[in-house]
């Protein structure tokens, strides 16, 4: 039976797509815990014959996407991956990524949702989804706020270096407040979430979670805020789960992997 040209083309396309997928599978074999892998380890991970895996690795190596150590004969990701990642990182706009997630969070809580970015020794609101309640808490886009007060500021500050934190500590108005802040920052790192009631502004409360970039750094956070009377202890616990879920989704879209 003679196959038609369309059938042959379709088969070639299918084979090509399968080859591309296998090459992608190889690249995803590498993790922070397993940065170097042998041919056998890679073949086992993707359930592929060594001969086929070798051919794919050879092509990836020619394109500088993987590098083979001449001594250990193990493979690791090459400079080509770093270069592509650098370009991707430059093209990613956190506001565009965060916006749909923020809208979902706003719809679930009906409260104002803010995206804060670290700027020198302050945090700045760069995006906002206004709350759906008649009485709601608002922050101006571009407004600079302290890092040592409010859930959003503390969610960012908790993940900064000790030297940076020390600079911020000098802004805290009292020793009592400073002691409380230091204790709270430790808890925030454990829970990956911060909360505040009548702290930066009387009558307002907030819950915030850190956003991690591809390097595991925290330069931003996601926050839900509203009038204090609506933020009961039960509501705060509920919002902590929701805001952490939202921040995690944004972090993953930025390339972060735990």
């Amino acid at each position: 039976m003679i196959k038609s040209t369309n059938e042959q083309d379709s088969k070639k396309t299918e084979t090509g797509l399968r080859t591309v997928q296998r090459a992608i599978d190889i690249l995803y074999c590498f993790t922070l815990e397993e940065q170097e892998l042998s041919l056998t380890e890679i073949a086992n991970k993707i359930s592929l014959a060594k001969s086929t895996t070798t051919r794919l690795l050879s092509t990836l190596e020619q394109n500088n996407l993987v590098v083979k150590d001449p001594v250990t004969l193990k493979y690791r990701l090459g400079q080509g991956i770093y270069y592509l990642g650098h370009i991707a990182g430059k093209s990613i706009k956190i506001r565009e990524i965060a916006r749909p997630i923020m809208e979902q969070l706003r719809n679930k809580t009906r409260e104002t949702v803010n995206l804060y970015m670290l700027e020198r020794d302050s945090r700045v609101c760069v995006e906002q989804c206004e709350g759906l309640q008649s009485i709601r808490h608002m922050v101006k886009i571009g407004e600079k706020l302290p890092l040592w007060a409010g859930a959003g500021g503390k969610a960012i500050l908790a993940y900064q270096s000790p030297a940076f934190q020390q600079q911020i500590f000098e802004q805290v108005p009292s020793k009592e407040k400073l002691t409380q802040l230091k204790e709270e920052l430790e808890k925030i790192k454990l829970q990956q979430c911060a909360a505040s009631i009548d702290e930066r502004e009387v009558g307002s409360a907030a819950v915030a979670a850190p956003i991690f970039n591809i390097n595991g750094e925290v330069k931003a956070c996601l926050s839900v805020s509203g009038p204090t009377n609506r933020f009961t202890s039960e509501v705060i616990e509920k919002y902590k789960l929701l805001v952490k879920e939202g921040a995690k989704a944004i972090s993953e879209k930025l390339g972060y992997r735990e």
Side-chain angles (χ1 to χ4, degrees):
M1 180 179 180
I2 299 174
K3 292 186 177 179
S4 67
T5 302
N6 287 341
E7 287 179 319
Q8 291 174 345
D9 289 344
S10 178
K11 188 173 182 180
K12 286 180 180 178
T13 300
E14 186 179 330
T15 302
L17 290 173
R18 186 164 60 247
T19 300
V20 171
Q21 184 58 59
R22 286 172 172 174
I24 292 171
D25 291 341
I26 287 177
L27 295 177
Y28 274 108
C29 284
F30 298 92
T31 65
L32 287 174
E33 293 74 28
E34 295 179 296
Q35 296 183 24
E36 290 191 334
L37 295 168
S38 67
L39 169 61
T40 301
E41 289 171 332
I42 294 172
N44 289 339
K45 273 177 172 282
I46 61 176
S47 302
L48 207 60
K50 285 185 180 181
S51 57
T52 305
T53 306
T54 300
R55 289 197 297 271
L56 290 169
L57 282 167
S58 178
T59 301
L60 291 171
E61 191 174 5
Q62 289 170 20
N63 289 276
N64 206 21
L65 298 179
V66 298
V67 177
K68 185 178 181 180
D69 190 303
V71 178
T72 65
L73 302 182
K74 287 191 173 185
Y75 294 86
R76 66 178 185 274
L77 294 178
Q79 279 294 115
I81 291 292
Y82 178 82
Y83 175 69
L84 293 173
H86 180 71
I87 294 174
K90 291 291 184 181
S91 66
I92 290 174
K93 307 291 185 183
I94 188 170
R95 289 174 61 187
E96 294 175 7
I97 288 174
R99 183 72 194 188
I101 295 170
M102 292 173 68
E103 289 175 349
Q104 291 175 12
L105 182 57
R106 186 273 312 277
N107 293 341
K108 289 178 181 177
T109 63
R110 298 182 63 79
E111 302 289 0
T112 299
V113 177
N114 292 312
L115 175 67
Y116 291 104
M117 295 284 292
L118 176 65
E119 186 174 304
R120 295 188 179 182
D121 62 349
S122 304
R123 57 179 162 123
V124 177
C125 181
V126 297
E127 187 62 280
Q128 182 178 84
C129 286
E130 193 172 331
L132 303 176
Q133 307 274 22
S134 56
I135 299 176
R136 51 192 179 272
H137 180 249
M138 299 294 291
V139 174
K140 294 179 182 178
I141 299 291
E143 183 177 359
K144 287 188 176 183
L145 299 172
L147 291 171
W148 58 269
K154 292 181 294 186
I156 295 175
L157 182 59
Y159 293 87
Q160 305 310 306
S161 68
F164 182 89
Q165 288 181 345
Q166 189 57 46
Q167 294 178 24
I168 303 302
F169 291 160
E170 293 173 5
Q171 301 175 7
V172 182
S174 69
K175 289 184 178 180
E176 182 181 355
K177 176 63 181 175
L178 178 57
T179 300
Q180 179 185 343
L181 175 62
K182 288 180 177 179
E183 293 176 354
E184 194 169 357
L185 292 180
E186 291 298 321
K187 293 179 181 178
I188 290 170
K189 287 197 73 172
L190 289 173
Q191 300 175 359
Q192 291 196 359
C193 195
S196 62
I197 297 177
D198 297 328
E199 189 173 304
R200 187 184 63 79
E201 184 180 347
V202 175
S204 69
V207 175
I211 294 172
F212 297 87
N213 63 22
I214 193 170
N215 298 315
E217 303 166 329
V218 174
K219 304 294 183 183
C221 77
L222 187 64
S223 167
V224 177
S225 61
T228 300
N229 63 345
R230 289 205 294 264
F231 277 60
T232 62
S233 57
E234 291 80 10
V235 168
I236 287 176
E237 289 307 310
K238 175 186 176 182
Y239 287 178
K240 279 183 177 180
L241 295 175
L242 291 174
V243 79
K244 284 171 66 175
E245 183 180 282
K248 182 181 178 182
I250 297 172
S251 298
E252 289 178 348
K253 288 183 179 293
L254 291 173
Y256 174 69
R257 296 290 181 272
E258 290 190 52

